Amino acid sequence: MSTVPTVTVWNEFRHEKENDDVAVIYPDGIHETIADGLRDVGYDVHTATLDEPEHGLTESVLDETDVLAWWGHKAHDEVDDEIVERVAGRVRDGMGFVVLHSGHYSKPFKRLMGTTCSLKWREAGETERVWTVEPGHPIADGLPESFEVPRAEMYGERFDVPAPDELVFLSWFEGGEVFRSGCCYTRGKGRIFYFRPGHETYPIYEQPEIRTVLVNAVDWAAPGDGPDPYFGNSDPLEDLE
Amino acid sequence: MSTVPTVTVWNEFRHEKENDDVAVIYPDGIHETIADGLRDVGYDVHTATLDEPEHGLTESVLDETDVLAWWGHKAHDEVDDEIVERVAGRVRDGMGFVVLHSGHYSKPFKRLMGTTCSLKWREAGETERVWTVEPGHPIADGLPESFEVPRAEMYGERFDVPAPDELVFLSWFEGGEVFRSGCCYTRGKGRIFYFRPGHETYPIYEQPEIRTVLVNAVDWAAPGDGPDPYFGNSDPLEDLE
Amino acid sequence: MSTVPTVTVWNEFRHEKENDDVAVIYPDGIHETIADGLRDVGYDVHTATLDEPEHGLTESVLDETDVLAWWGHKAHDEVDDEIVERVAGRVRDGMGFVVLHSGHYSKPFKRLMGTTCSLKWREAGETERVWTVEPGHPIADGLPESFEVPRAEMYGERFDVPAPDELVFLSWFEGGEVFRSGCCYTRGKGRIFYFRPGHETYPIYEQPEIRTVLVNAVDWAAPGDGPDPYFGNSDPLEDLE
Amino acid sequence: MSTVPTVTVWNEFRHEKENDDVAVIYPDGIHETIADGLRDVGYDVHTATLDEPEHGLTESVLDETDVLAWWGHKAHDEVDDEIVERVAGRVRDGMGFVVLHSGHYSKPFKRLMGTTCSLKWREAGETERVWTVEPGHPIADGLPESFEVPRAEMYGERFDVPAPDELVFLSWFEGGEVFRSGCCYTRGKGRIFYFRPGHETYPIYEQPEIRTVLVNAVDWAAPGDGPDPYFGNSDPLEDLE
């Protein structure tokens, strides 16, 4: 891994153009707000959006991407299946993948999880409290034991994902639900982090704790230089009788 | 779960018709040999094969199936994508899924894992020794600490699957490789067991230890009656301020 | 495993003798209430208490025990270290171990976990809502997606245990905390289930959902007949050069 | 974490004084050879040995230790229980712990695992082949898919440890056994890595791949600055009815 990870922040970038409430909070798009939080610590951050050619995720863009962050919500179905396979393949080859909030329902995340990734939800601007259940995990660096998101869309269990390899955060919701909010996975050589908080009508990506999580998650997900396995017909390494 | 699980053993059933060596070992098809091992303990076992309508995996067949065992090798691509999604969906809804040997590369297994499921392989009739690394796991019931498969096709690491939720068996190969040979997963409500040994040109499914594993695996994978989660928009369970 | 597991329910049995409020709820001791719930489904249930010789956990009692359920709260330190090692050793040899509520701080549980098993707590009679996050797990059989414990002592994260092998339940608390309430572990050949709900001043062990969990947990934790590993100096199984 | 981790390499340092064969390979003690491999990449490395006061592991030494590496073999029982508890407590508080070869049977490792940590073994100078099964794990950085240890003491399964949180390496042995050779655990806030290869009569800690693993393991195990949880009686964060 390069010392400074190169990040591509992907956004479907539709809400911001179509909904004035969203445009007020994220005038340049959610992707720019997320990108700013990562640039602040010196990461090399680019952005890509749905309506660009190949959704901005060309082979050459991905060649230069250590970690891809993904925000999508209302246009998951418009993501081309070829790009979905390209992204999933890159993750298996080692690219980090940080999936944000409603990205739980994005095609590449579902493709990599193998499950429906369904959940309960409610949009009522209620309190969420995020608890750090693995304080020794690198993604918990610099965080408090718990912090509040004052106005959040609720996501509640059952979250239909494979049991995470590491569970870093749990959320409590005012309305009575809980959620596994910070979930680590490895698929192929790639590290995947799903992070629940974040929404288009609340300024959650401005919140310091959220920014800290995303900075940590990118650092954790950035690829190393472990071996690229050989697959296929293979000669013996020892004499066979 | 019914006390006696209903099992459907699926086989692509091509090798047996096209290759005399295979036909000698498995004259009625590998599926019948596998099925016999399960019938011997009283399970209610049916079979289905690739060339039947809907590959023998109609909705009504799956309605009656607690656990689906899957053997495929040379015709993975001929399995219709609609049936693949049907099987994967049934597993997520709770149907057990026991994936045998070259079934690592079947479409439904890859669909549920989200990875390439690739590996190293070699067909040299070498010795495999299967080690029980979790002797407390139900799938290890009645087994010795280790047993040999005298002539086996080698599968070697890296096996590109998600880290198993539980790793029950490891294999040693004469040629110098190792393999995670007994891997448990839960996806949705369904339990999945991948078991490596087994091949079309060796009488492996006649071997008592192998039969014991398959009997145990079906029992372990059979569905329970846990809750069916509700997904979607959800009213609060507590008063919101 | 015998079809009908033999269970020993252990209780320190002090609150009931010293506190009238507790005595009203559990006149024969918490152990008898827990035992009744297990007897109702036909399990063979015995009890043992702190003030018996060897705390009622003699070698011969443990010889006949498939699963040990443990309730302790105020007298953890009075449990003799020799008995602690005996119980931990039996678990490693395959005896199931169901640890209840304040048993998180019992010596045998801490011994088997290797961590402090500390947590946050509060006794305010608040609402707890238990969520089933793994509806496909055998311990979730027959349960709803969530259920309430109307008046509960709160336990909150960080719960200082190893990440559970399987996480079945999460709790939501009225006061703002969350907790990993149903945690599965394997240690040696033994299966361990920690279950949070339950308290001496609330009639929680009379609640049907709680009884269902305990019945399921005993069934899940009951030992199988996997191999007893040999440890020590070992001859090669293959010729060495 | 400081950018450059501070490492204490602990060695019982007995074989080297008592056995000429060992003294030839490790004239300054195994600890110095291990320390040299870590100093080569710029880590700040100190050593401590059994016969020093408090085994060289005073509170002030541990205050300055990010990661403790542990080599012991024939004198495990001479390690004072107070120091064992001190080390285990430090690990739970976040100190990294890299446990080497026969350290599987050291008191602090057994204390943290909660199991017997027993295994099969044989001293026959046979070939070991270490396979990287998680090529995306940071501890696999810079390694090949597999590498050989030409003359190794065999350790074979069943290895009686909790299932590792992450399994990075598997070993193949000439004599027919397999072993989970690279096992990651988190206990409390501390990260623990057990690494099998290494022996007092073979120059294994001079081997480049082994040195790479130890460098990576220290980096992976070095503490972060996640929150220190509060444990105990806790006021509600929300109004209780």
Coordinates of all heavy atoms in Angstrom, one line a residue, chain A residues 127 129 131-132 134-138 140-145 166 172 186 188-189 191 224-230 237-238, chain D residues 127 129 131-132 134-138 140-145 166 172 186 188-189 191 224-230 237-238:
Chain A
T127 N -33.2 9.9 17.3 CA -31.8 9.8 17.8 C -31.2 8.4 17.5 O -31.9 7.4 17.7 CB -31.8 10.0 19.3 OG1 -32.4 11.3 19.6 CG2 -30.4 9.9 19.9
R129 N -27.7 6.2 18.6 CA -26.5 6.3 19.4 C -25.6 5.1 19.0 O -26.0 3.9 19.0 CB -26.8 6.1 20.9 CG -25.6 6.2 21.8 CD -25.9 6.3 23.3 NE -26.7 7.5 23.6 CZ -28.0 7.6 23.8 NH1 -28.7 6.5 23.8 NH2 -28.6 8.7 24.1
W131 N -22.5 2.7 19.4 CA -21.7 2.2 20.4 C -20.5 1.4 19.8 O -20.6 0.6 18.9 CB -22.4 1.1 21.3 CG -23.4 1.8 22.2 CD1 -24.7 2.0 22.0 CD2 -23.1 2.3 23.5 NE1 -25.3 2.7 23.1 CE2 -24.4 2.8 24.0 CE3 -22.0 2.4 24.3 CZ2 -24.4 3.4 25.3 CZ3 -22.1 3.0 25.6 CH2 -23.3 3.5 26.1
T132 N -19.3 1.7 20.3 CA -18.1 1.0 19.9 C -18.0 -0.3 20.7 O -17.7 -0.3 21.9 CB -16.8 1.8 20.2 OG1 -17.0 3.1 19.6 CG2 -15.6 1.2 19.7
E134 N -16.0 -3.0 19.7 CA -14.6 -3.5 19.6 C -13.6 -2.3 19.7 O -13.1 -1.8 18.7 CB -14.4 -4.3 18.3 CG -15.0 -5.7 18.3 CD -14.4 -6.6 19.4 OE1 -13.3 -6.3 20.0 OE2 -15.0 -7.7 19.6
P135 N -13.3 -1.9 20.9 CA -12.5 -0.7 21.1 C -11.0 -0.9 20.6 O -10.3 0.1 20.4 CB -12.6 -0.4 22.6 CG -12.9 -1.7 23.2 CD -13.8 -2.4 22.2
G136 N -10.6 -2.1 20.4 CA -9.3 -2.4 20.0 C -9.2 -2.4 18.5 O -8.1 -2.6 17.9
H137 N -10.3 -2.3 17.8 CA -10.2 -2.4 16.3 C -9.7 -1.0 15.7 O -10.0 0.0 16.2 CB -11.6 -2.6 15.7 CG -11.5 -3.1 14.3 ND1 -11.4 -2.3 13.3 CD2 -11.5 -4.3 13.8 CE1 -11.4 -2.9 12.1 NE2 -11.4 -4.2 12.4
P138 N -8.8 -1.1 14.7 CA -8.3 0.1 14.1 C -9.3 1.1 13.7 O -9.1 2.3 13.7 CB -7.5 -0.4 12.9 CG -7.2 -1.8 13.1 CD -8.3 -2.3 14.0
A140 N -11.8 2.0 15.3 CA -12.3 2.7 16.5 C -11.3 3.7 17.0 O -11.6 4.4 18.0 CB -12.6 1.7 17.6
D141 N -10.2 3.8 16.3 CA -9.1 4.8 16.8 C -9.7 6.2 16.9 O -10.3 6.7 15.9 CB -8.0 4.8 15.8 CG -7.0 3.7 16.0 OD1 -7.3 2.8 16.9 OD2 -5.9 3.6 15.4
G142 N -9.4 6.8 18.0 CA -9.8 8.2 18.2 C -11.3 8.5 18.5 O -11.7 9.6 18.6
L143 N -12.0 7.4 18.7 CA -13.5 7.5 18.9 C -13.8 7.4 20.4 O -13.0 6.8 21.1 CB -14.2 6.5 18.1 CG -14.3 6.6 16.6 CD1 -15.0 5.4 16.0 CD2 -15.1 7.9 16.3
P144 N -14.9 8.0 20.8 CA -15.4 7.7 22.1 C -16.1 6.4 22.2 O -16.3 5.7 21.2 CB -16.4 8.9 22.3 CG -16.9 9.2 21.0 CD -15.8 8.9 20.0
E145 N -16.5 6.0 23.4 CA -17.2 4.8 23.6 C -18.6 4.8 22.9 O -19.0 3.7 22.4 CB -17.5 4.6 25.1 CG -16.5 3.7 25.8 CD -17.2 3.0 26.9 OE1 -17.3 3.6 28.0 OE2 -17.7 1.8 26.7
E166 N -15.7 -9.0 11.6 CA -15.5 -8.2 12.8 C -16.6 -7.2 12.9 O -17.0 -6.6 11.9 CB -14.1 -7.5 12.7 CG -13.0 -8.4 12.6 CD -11.7 -7.7 12.3 OE1 -11.6 -7.0 11.2 OE2 -10.7 -7.8 13.1
W172 N -28.1 2.0 18.6 CA -29.3 2.1 19.4 C -30.2 3.1 18.8 O -29.7 4.2 18.4 CB -29.0 2.5 20.8 CG -30.2 2.7 21.8 CD1 -30.6 1.8 22.7 CD2 -30.9 3.9 21.9 NE1 -31.6 2.3 23.4 CE2 -31.9 3.6 23.0 CE3 -31.0 5.1 21.3 CZ2 -32.8 4.5 23.4 CZ3 -31.9 6.0 21.7 CH2 -32.8 5.8 22.8
T186 N -13.8 -9.6 4.7 CA -12.8 -9.8 3.6 C -13.4 -10.7 2.6 O -14.0 -11.7 2.9 CB -11.5 -10.5 4.2 OG1 -10.9 -9.6 5.2 CG2 -10.5 -10.7 3.1
G188 N -12.1 -12.3 -1.2 CA -10.9 -12.4 -2.0 C -9.8 -11.7 -1.2 O -9.7 -12.0 0.0
K189 N -9.1 -10.8 -1.8 CA -8.0 -10.1 -1.1 C -8.5 -8.7 -0.5 O -7.8 -8.0 0.0 CB -6.8 -9.9 -1.9 CG -6.0 -11.1 -2.3 CD -4.8 -10.8 -3.2 CE -3.8 -10.0 -2.5 NZ -2.6 -9.7 -3.3
R191 N -10.8 -5.8 1.4 CA -11.4 -5.6 2.7 C -12.6 -4.6 2.5 O -12.5 -3.6 1.8 CB -10.4 -5.0 3.7 CG -9.4 -6.0 4.1 CD -8.5 -5.6 5.3 NE -7.4 -4.8 5.0 CZ -6.2 -5.2 4.7 NH1 -5.9 -6.5 4.7 NH2 -5.2 -4.4 4.4
G224 N -2.9 -4.2 0.9 CA -1.5 -4.5 1.1 C -0.8 -5.2 -0.1 O -1.3 -5.0 -1.2
D225 N 0.3 -5.9 0.1 CA 0.9 -6.5 -1.0 C 1.1 -8.0 -0.7 O 2.2 -8.6 -1.0 CB 2.2 -5.8 -1.4 CG 3.3 -6.0 -0.4 OD1 3.0 -6.3 0.8 OD2 4.5 -5.8 -0.8
G226 N 0.1 -8.6 -0.2 CA 0.1 -10.1 0.0 C 0.2 -10.8 -1.4 O 0.0 -10.1 -2.4
P227 N 0.4 -12.1 -1.4 CA 0.6 -12.8 -2.7 C -0.7 -12.9 -3.5 O -1.8 -12.9 -2.9 CB 0.9 -14.2 -2.2 CG 0.4 -14.3 -0.8 CD 0.5 -13.0 -0.2
D228 N -0.6 -12.9 -4.8 CA -1.7 -13.1 -5.7 C -1.7 -14.6 -6.0 O -0.8 -15.1 -6.6 CB -1.5 -12.4 -7.0 CG -1.7 -10.9 -6.8 OD1 -2.7 -10.5 -6.2 OD2 -0.8 -10.1 -7.3
P229 N -2.7 -15.3 -5.5 CA -2.7 -16.8 -5.6 C -2.8 -17.2 -7.0 O -3.4 -16.6 -7.9 CB -4.0 -17.2 -4.8 CG -4.4 -16.0 -4.0 CD -3.9 -14.8 -4.7
Y230 N -2.1 -18.3 -7.3 CA -2.3 -19.0 -8.6 C -3.5 -20.0 -8.4 O -3.6 -20.7 -7.4 CB -1.1 -19.8 -8.9 CG -1.3 -20.8 -10.0 CD1 -1.4 -20.4 -11.3 CD2 -1.6 -22.2 -9.7 CE1 -1.7 -21.4 -12.3 CE2 -1.8 -23.1 -10.7 CZ -1.9 -22.7 -12.0 OH -2.2 -23.6 -13.0
L237 N 4.3 -30.5 -5.3 CA 5.5 -29.9 -4.7 C 6.4 -31.0 -4.1 O 7.5 -30.8 -3.7 CB 5.1 -28.9 -3.7 CG 4.3 -27.7 -4.4 CD1 3.5 -27.0 -3.3 CD2 5.3 -26.7 -5.0
E238 N 5.8 -32.2 -3.9 CA 6.5 -33.3 -3.3 C 6.4 -34.5 -4.3 O 5.5 -34.5 -5.1 CB 5.8 -33.7 -2.0 CG 5.8 -32.6 -1.0 CD 7.1 -32.4 -0.3 OE1 7.9 -33.4 -0.1 OE2 7.4 -31.3 0.2
Chain D
T127 N 10.3 -31.5 6.7 CA 9.9 -30.4 5.9 C 8.5 -29.9 6.4 O 7.6 -30.6 6.6 CB 9.8 -30.7 4.4 OG1 11.0 -31.2 4.0 CG2 9.4 -29.5 3.6
R129 N 5.7 -26.9 5.1 CA 5.4 -25.9 4.0 C 4.3 -25.0 4.6 O 3.2 -25.5 4.9 CB 5.0 -26.6 2.7 CG 4.7 -25.6 1.6 CD 4.5 -26.3 0.2 NE 5.7 -27.0 -0.2 CZ 5.9 -28.3 -0.1 NH1 4.9 -29.1 0.3 NH2 7.0 -28.8 -0.5
W131 N 1.5 -22.3 4.1 CA 0.6 -21.8 3.0 C -0.2 -20.5 3.5 O -0.7 -20.6 4.6 CB -0.5 -22.8 2.6 CG 0.1 -24.0 1.8 CD1 0.5 -25.2 2.3 CD2 0.2 -24.0 0.4 NE1 1.0 -25.9 1.2 CE2 0.8 -25.2 0.1 CE3 0.0 -23.1 -0.6 CZ2 1.1 -25.6 -1.3 CZ3 0.3 -23.4 -1.9 CH2 0.8 -24.7 -2.2
T132 N -0.2 -19.5 2.7 CA -0.9 -18.3 3.0 C -2.4 -18.5 2.6 O -2.6 -18.5 1.4 CB -0.3 -17.1 2.3 OG1 1.1 -17.0 2.6 CG2 -1.0 -15.8 2.6
E134 N -5.0 -16.5 3.7 CA -5.6 -15.2 3.6 C -4.7 -14.2 3.1 O -4.0 -13.4 3.8 CB -6.2 -14.7 5.0 CG -7.4 -15.4 5.5 CD -8.6 -15.2 4.6 OE1 -8.6 -14.3 3.7 OE2 -9.6 -15.9 4.7
P135 N -4.5 -14.2 1.7 CA -3.5 -13.3 1.1 C -3.8 -11.8 1.3 O -2.9 -11.0 1.0 CB -3.5 -13.7 -0.4 CG -4.9 -14.3 -0.6 CD -5.2 -15.0 0.7
G136 N -5.0 -11.5 1.7 CA -5.4 -10.1 1.9 C -5.1 -9.6 3.3 O -5.3 -8.4 3.6
H137 N -4.6 -10.5 4.1 CA -4.4 -10.0 5.5 C -3.1 -9.3 5.6 O -2.1 -9.7 5.0 CB -4.3 -11.3 6.4 CG -4.5 -10.9 7.9 ND1 -3.4 -10.5 8.6 CD2 -5.6 -10.9 8.7 CE1 -3.9 -10.2 9.9 NE2 -5.2 -10.4 9.9
P138 N -3.0 -8.2 6.5 CA -1.8 -7.5 6.6 C -0.5 -8.3 7.0 O 0.6 -7.9 6.6 CB -2.1 -6.4 7.7 CG -3.5 -6.3 7.8 CD -4.1 -7.6 7.2
A140 N 0.2 -11.0 5.8 CA 0.7 -11.7 4.6 C 1.5 -10.8 3.6 O 2.0 -11.3 2.6 CB -0.5 -12.4 3.9
D141 N 1.6 -9.5 4.0 CA 2.3 -8.6 3.1 C 3.7 -9.1 2.8 O 4.5 -9.4 3.7 CB 2.4 -7.2 3.8 CG 1.1 -6.4 3.6 OD1 0.1 -7.0 3.0 OD2 1.0 -5.3 4.0
G142 N 4.0 -9.0 1.5 CA 5.3 -9.3 1.0 C 5.7 -10.8 1.0 O 6.9 -11.1 0.8
L143 N 4.7 -11.6 1.3 CA 5.0 -13.1 1.4 C 4.6 -13.8 0.1 O 3.8 -13.3 -0.7 CB 4.2 -13.7 2.5 CG 4.7 -13.4 3.9 CD1 3.8 -14.0 4.9 CD2 6.2 -14.0 4.1
P144 N 5.2 -14.9 -0.2 CA 4.8 -15.8 -1.3 C 3.5 -16.6 -0.9 O 3.1 -16.5 0.3 CB 5.9 -16.7 -1.6 CG 6.6 -16.8 -0.2 CD 6.4 -15.5 0.5
E145 N 2.9 -17.2 -1.9 CA 1.8 -18.1 -1.6 C 2.1 -19.2 -0.6 O 1.3 -19.6 0.2 CB 1.3 -18.7 -2.9 CG 0.2 -18.0 -3.5 CD -0.7 -19.0 -4.3 OE1 -0.3 -19.4 -5.4 OE2 -1.6 -19.5 -3.7
E166 N -9.1 -14.7 12.9 CA -8.6 -14.7 11.5 C -7.5 -15.8 11.4 O -6.6 -15.8 12.2 CB -8.0 -13.4 11.1 CG -9.1 -12.3 11.1 CD -8.4 -10.9 11.0 OE1 -7.6 -10.5 11.8 OE2 -8.8 -10.2 10.0
W172 N 1.7 -27.6 6.2 CA 1.7 -29.0 5.7 C 3.0 -29.6 6.3 O 4.1 -28.9 6.2 CB 1.7 -29.0 4.2 CG 1.9 -30.3 3.5 CD1 0.9 -31.0 3.0 CD2 3.1 -31.0 3.2 NE1 1.4 -32.2 2.4 CE2 2.8 -32.2 2.5 CE3 4.5 -30.8 3.5 CZ2 3.7 -33.1 2.1 CZ3 5.4 -31.7 3.1 CH2 5.0 -32.9 2.4
T186 N -8.3 -11.2 19.1 CA -8.4 -10.0 19.9 C -9.0 -10.4 21.2 O -10.0 -11.1 21.3 CB -9.4 -9.0 19.2 OG1 -8.8 -8.6 18.0 CG2 -9.5 -7.7 20.1
G188 N -9.9 -8.4 24.9 CA -9.9 -7.0 25.4 C -9.6 -6.1 24.2 O -10.1 -6.3 23.1
K189 N -8.7 -5.1 24.4 CA -8.3 -4.2 23.3 C -7.0 -4.8 22.6 O -6.5 -4.1 21.7 CB -8.0 -2.8 23.9 CG -9.3 -2.1 24.3 CD -9.0 -0.7 24.8 CE -8.4 0.2 23.7 NZ -8.1 1.6 24.2
R191 N -4.4 -7.2 20.5 CA -4.3 -8.1 19.4 C -3.2 -9.1 19.6 O -2.1 -8.8 20.0 CB -4.1 -7.3 18.1 CG -5.3 -6.5 17.7 CD -5.3 -6.0 16.3 NE -4.5 -4.7 16.2 CZ -5.1 -3.5 16.3 NH1 -6.4 -3.4 16.5 NH2 -4.3 -2.4 16.1
G224 N -3.7 0.7 18.9 CA -4.3 2.0 18.4 C -4.7 2.8 19.6 O -4.2 2.6 20.7
D225 N -5.6 3.8 19.3 CA -6.1 4.6 20.4 C -7.6 4.7 20.5 O -8.2 5.7 20.6 CB -5.5 6.0 20.4 CG -6.0 6.8 19.2 OD1 -6.5 6.2 18.2 OD2 -5.9 8.1 19.2
G226 N -8.1 3.5 20.4 CA -9.6 3.4 20.6 C -10.0 3.7 22.0 O -9.1 3.8 22.9
P227 N -11.3 3.8 22.3 CA -11.7 4.2 23.6 C -11.4 3.2 24.7 O -11.4 2.0 24.4 CB -13.2 4.4 23.4 CG -13.6 3.5 22.3 CD -12.4 3.5 21.3
D228 N -11.2 3.7 25.9 CA -11.1 2.8 27.1 C -12.4 2.7 27.7 O -12.9 3.7 28.2 CB -10.1 3.4 28.1 CG -8.6 3.3 27.5 OD1 -8.3 2.2 27.1 OD2 -7.9 4.3 27.6
P229 N -13.1 1.6 27.6 CA -14.5 1.5 28.1 C -14.6 1.7 29.6 O -13.7 1.4 30.3 CB -14.9 0.0 27.7 CG -13.9 -0.4 26.7 CD -12.6 0.3 27.0
Y230 N -15.7 2.3 29.9 CA -16.0 2.4 31.3 C -16.8 1.2 31.7 O -17.7 0.7 30.9 CB -16.9 3.7 31.6 CG -17.6 3.6 32.9 CD1 -16.9 3.9 34.1 CD2 -18.9 3.2 33.0 CE1 -17.6 3.8 35.3 CE2 -19.6 3.1 34.2 CZ -18.9 3.4 35.4 OH -19.5 3.4 36.6
L237 N -28.7 7.2 29.7 CA -28.5 8.2 28.7 C -29.8 8.8 28.1 O -29.8 9.8 27.5 CB -27.6 7.7 27.6 CG -26.3 7.2 28.0 CD1 -25.7 6.1 27.1 CD2 -25.3 8.3 28.2
E238 N -30.8 8.1 28.4 CA -32.2 8.6 28.0 C -33.1 8.6 29.2 O -32.8 7.9 30.2 CB -32.8 7.6 27.0 CG -32.0 7.3 25.7 CD -32.1 8.5 24.7 OE1 -33.1 9.1 24.7 OE2 -31.1 8.7 24.0

